[in-house]
Amino acid sequence: MAAGAVRRWPWGPARRLGLSACRSYSSGGSSSPGVPLTAPLPGAPTPLFATADAREGFETKVTVLENGLRVASQNKFGQFCTVGILINSGSRYEAKYVGGISHFLEKLAFSSTAQFGSKDEILLTLEKHGGISDCQASRDTTMYAISADVKGLDTVVGLLADVVLQPRLTDEEIEMTRMAVRFELEDLNMRPDPEPLLTEMIHAAAYRGNTVGLNRFCQAENIEKIDRKVLHSYLQNYYTPDRMVLAAVGIEHERLVNYAKKYLLGIKPVWGSAVVKAVDKSVAQYTGGILKLEKDMSEVSLGPTPIPELTHIMIGLETCSFLEEDFIPFAVLNMMMGGGGSFSAGGPGKGMFTRLYLNVLNRHHWMYNATSYHHSYEDTGLMCIHASADPRQVREMVEIITREFILMAGAVGEVELERAKTQLQSMLMMNLESRPVIFEDVGRQVLATGMRKLPHELCVLIGKVGTEDIKRVVTEMLHKKPAVAALGDLTELPSYENIQAALSSKDGRLPRVYRLFR
């Protein structure tokens, strides 16, 4: 019975499994059913494979045009490319101008130009090549960038040149920018995350009234003062070819150079080609000091799960520029300190074994945040620790942070040093998997030094950092005056002199304060 129950399908295995089960594949028009997968098909072209040691395909090539413009590119496989113009301009150069020009130019980017009547026309042109655009202005660099299909490179470079050198800056666009700036200033003061505001404050305290200490955001009193005449005056001095780099990732260097000559050589900008009057070449002067902002933080984030009222403190010390050799040990030190929020998720890869997690957040449950930051520029640097806690525990929080600064100069374990170095190397390599990140790295390095250190070179330098390097740079750093930024309820904040004394002591403790009445 069991044998009789087996049903025979009349159409056989080919019909049952589909016609593809018996389909024969061919190469070059001839069927090769008997060729195993381990052997090449007869008549197929010989494949070409990339070799692992062919570094020439990944090196950054740099060409300097007759007008001083630098053209830098790095080839990378893919259908899309990222192209942009980086300019040596930013808020640090605004000492002789109305503060906030760079902020305005960032908002005005990719608006109407000599060739394009409106922002919409630019966006429609980019859409034909699957492109997107962005502009970012920092303290020392302004960056215009476009990511688009490689086939549209001619259009993209022409558009970038038009946006940078031929902006119309109409009255309507400037008025819209004023509205956007006002909104951003309101948002900056209302957002639950105070980190952008604290970063501005710590720079203002560390470099009082000069270079990187100038405010990156346009102040409310300056919004109406900035017009086309002011913008043209600034652009004439700082948007010059010798202060620019045309950088690209994902295209051949010769093509980029040809288009750079076509669109960026011999082009007269809309503000005229008059002689540059005065370029600010000031070197950053570290002053140290304290900047306080008393603010009610009790209603900063309402809702079903409100953030508790917190006081935010940031303490910083001067380090070195990114052009110096000690920049690498400071980067390792910053990774070793790490930190984050008390509710951060993750494991060892998220920094849970860094010092600010192990020594601060794991031991003091009342601390909401403890994070290390390292800001670096071409002539200075700033290492900071940001901490947040209940206003009643501000004094204890400050003492914990000053103690961590002092402990940096103490014993450094081989295991934690190797972990920090490995984490920094992996973060560097992972970030450089992204094409836009490679573009920014190429552009910024060539703008600052005229060349680019490749990732494997940086990894070698990171690997050479030893415990004696960490102790040496920390000892030098601790001899500087501190910079302090404080935001929130500051009733319990120690005086600047006490914070400075704690950072000069052996154990980082604040001087004892005796009160007659508590």
Side-chain angles (χ1 to χ4, degrees):
M1 288 292 292
V6 178
R7 189 170 180 179
R8 302 291 181 184
W9 295 99
W11 43 79
R15 183 74 177 274
R16 187 165 9 112
L17 298 176
L19 294 177
S20 60
C22 292
R23 183 180 298 163
S24 61
Y25 293 91
S26 62
S27 177
S30 60
S31 178
S32 307
V35 179
L37 294 175
T38 54
L41 290 172
T46 305
L48 296 174
F49 298 102
T51 56
D53 57 350
R55 293 195 184 275
E56 65 275 0
F58 301 97
E59 290 182 356
T60 302
K61 298 180 180 178
V62 181
T63 299
V64 183
L65 302 186
E66 291 88 334
N67 60 357
L69 177 81
R70 284 158 287 181
V71 182
S73 74
Q74 179 167 318
N75 212 343
K76 180 178 172 67
F77 176 78
Q79 181 184 351
F80 283 81
C81 64
T82 300
V83 189
I85 294 177
L86 290 92
I87 307 163
N88 198 4
S89 75
S91 58
R92 70 169 295 164
Y93 301 106
E94 295 175 2
K96 297 179 181 179
Y97 296 87
V98 180
I101 291 177
S102 298
H103 192 190
F104 258 69
L105 291 172
E106 179 186 45
K107 301 300 176 190
L108 283 164
F110 295 98
S111 296
S112 64
T113 67
Q115 300 295 325
F116 299 91
S118 66
K119 184 186 285 281
D120 291 339
E121 282 190 34
I122 291 177
L123 295 177
L124 287 171
T125 303
L126 288 175
E127 281 180 10
K128 294 176 183 176
H129 302 286
I132 55 173
S133 61
D134 185 30
C135 178
Q136 295 178 9
S138 62
R139 285 182 162 75
D140 55 358
T141 308
T142 304
M143 179 178 67
Y144 298 80
I146 293 175
S147 289
D149 194 298
V150 176
K151 296 175 183 177
L153 181 62
D154 188 355
T155 305
V156 166
V157 177
L159 194 153
L160 277 169
D162 213 40
V163 165
V164 174
L165 299 177
Q166 305 287 333
R168 288 185 180 176
L169 304 179
T170 64
D171 293 339
E172 183 183 358
E173 289 169 347
I174 291 175
E175 190 56 43
M176 291 293 290
T177 300
R178 288 179 179 138
M179 292 174 60
V181 169
R182 286 192 188 98
F183 173 80
E184 192 164 346
L185 291 178
E186 289 179 14
D187 179 65
L188 187 69
N189 290 311
M190 291 170 59
R191 63 172 60 184
D193 177 22
E195 195 268 329
L197 184 57
L198 277 170
T199 301
E200 291 302 309
M201 292 172 64
I202 195 73
H203 278 82
Y207 306 92
R208 195 170 293 274
N210 75 91
T211 58
V212 294
L214 301 177
N215 208 309
R216 192 166 65 87
F217 297 99
C218 180
Q219 297 303 291
E221 62 270 16
N222 293 339
I223 292 176
E224 294 297 329
K225 297 177 184 177
I226 297 177
D227 55 18
R228 190 189 300 108
K229 184 179 179 181
V230 172
L231 294 171
H232 277 182
S233 173
Y234 179 86
L235 291 167
Q236 180 180 323
N237 285 330
Y238 291 96
Y239 276 43
T240 54
D242 58 305
R243 301 177 67 86
M244 295 183 184
V245 170
L246 175 65
V249 175
I251 54 175
E252 297 173 0
H253 187 69
E254 294 306 318
R255 284 185 66 201
L256 183 66
V257 171
N258 290 337
Y259 290 132
K261 291 178 179 177
K262 179 180 177 181
Y263 294 109
L264 291 164
L265 195 60
I267 304 299
K268 185 178 179 181
V270 70
W271 49 86
S273 54
V275 179
V276 176
K277 295 179 181 178
V279 173
D280 189 351
K281 297 182 180 179
S282 303
V283 177
Q285 301 296 318
Y286 182 82
T287 61
I290 187 168
L291 189 61
K292 298 186 283 187
L293 179 59
E294 288 269 3
K295 187 178 178 184
D296 182 10
M297 306 288 283
S298 59
E299 298 182 358
V300 77
S301 179
L302 301 176
T305 55
I307 295 176
E309 181 182 359
L310 300 171
T311 295
H312 302 273
I313 306 294
M314 191 176 276
I315 301 175
L317 291 165
E318 187 187 21
T319 59
C320 66
S321 81
F322 57 70
L323 299 175
E324 299 178 46
E325 291 182 358
D326 285 344
F327 171 68
I328 300 294
F330 273 119
V332 174
L333 174 64
N334 182 55
M335 191 62 64
M336 190 170 72
M337 297 306 295
S342 59
F343 296 104
S344 298
K350 298 295 285 293
M352 292 297 192
F353 282 88
T354 57
R355 284 194 177 187
L356 291 181
Y357 263 114
L358 293 176
N359 300 344
V360 178
L361 294 172
N362 286 358
R363 296 183 182 180
H364 307 283
H365 64 90
W366 45 268
M367 285 195 66
Y368 194 85
N369 180 47
T371 312
S372 173
Y373 297 96
H374 186 218
H375 306 278
S376 195
Y377 306 95
E378 65 180 4
D379 52 3
T380 187
L382 191 65
M383 187 163 192
C384 319
I385 294 180
H386 167 210
S388 308
D390 186 279
R392 292 167 294 182
Q393 293 172 301
V394 168
R395 181 179 175 83
E396 189 176 353
M397 174 177 66
V398 169
E399 187 171 84
I400 289 169
I401 298 307
T402 55
R403 198 160 63 235
E404 285 304 312
F405 269 111
I406 297 299
L407 289 174
M408 288 182 192
V412 178
E414 287 293 334
V415 174
E416 72 169 339
L417 179 62
E418 287 303 315
R419 182 187 292 120
K421 286 156 62 174
T422 303
Q423 193 171 352
L424 181 60
Q425 289 169 334
S426 65
M427 184 176 293
L428 171 70
M429 301 306 289
M430 283 189 290
N431 286 340
L432 290 174
E433 290 287 323
S434 168
R435 187 183 63 252
V437 175
I438 299 174
F439 155 77
E440 188 171 347
D441 184 50
V442 169
R444 285 184 181 274
Q445 286 203 48
V446 173
L447 189 66
T449 65
M451 56 174 286
R452 182 188 180 224
K453 281 186 179 178
L454 296 176
H456 68 271
E457 296 177 89
L458 293 172
C459 286
V460 170
L461 293 174
I462 293 169
K464 291 180 179 178
V465 175
T467 55
E468 65 283 352
D469 296 312
I470 300 295
K471 291 180 181 178
R472 175 174 51 79
V473 297
V474 171
T475 303
E476 292 177 9
M477 179 180 71
L478 288 173
H479 286 149
K480 308 289 178 66
K481 288 177 60 178
V484 182
L487 175 67
D489 182 349
L490 308 179
T491 308
E492 297 295 322
L493 179 69
S495 67
Y496 177 77
E497 290 73 23
N498 283 350
I499 295 173
Q500 188 173 2
L503 288 170
S504 302
S505 66
K506 291 183 178 180
D507 56 4
R509 294 187 179 276
L510 292 166
R512 294 296 129 216
V513 176
Y514 299 97
R515 297 178 181 175
L516 186 60
F517 301 103
R518 291 189 179 274

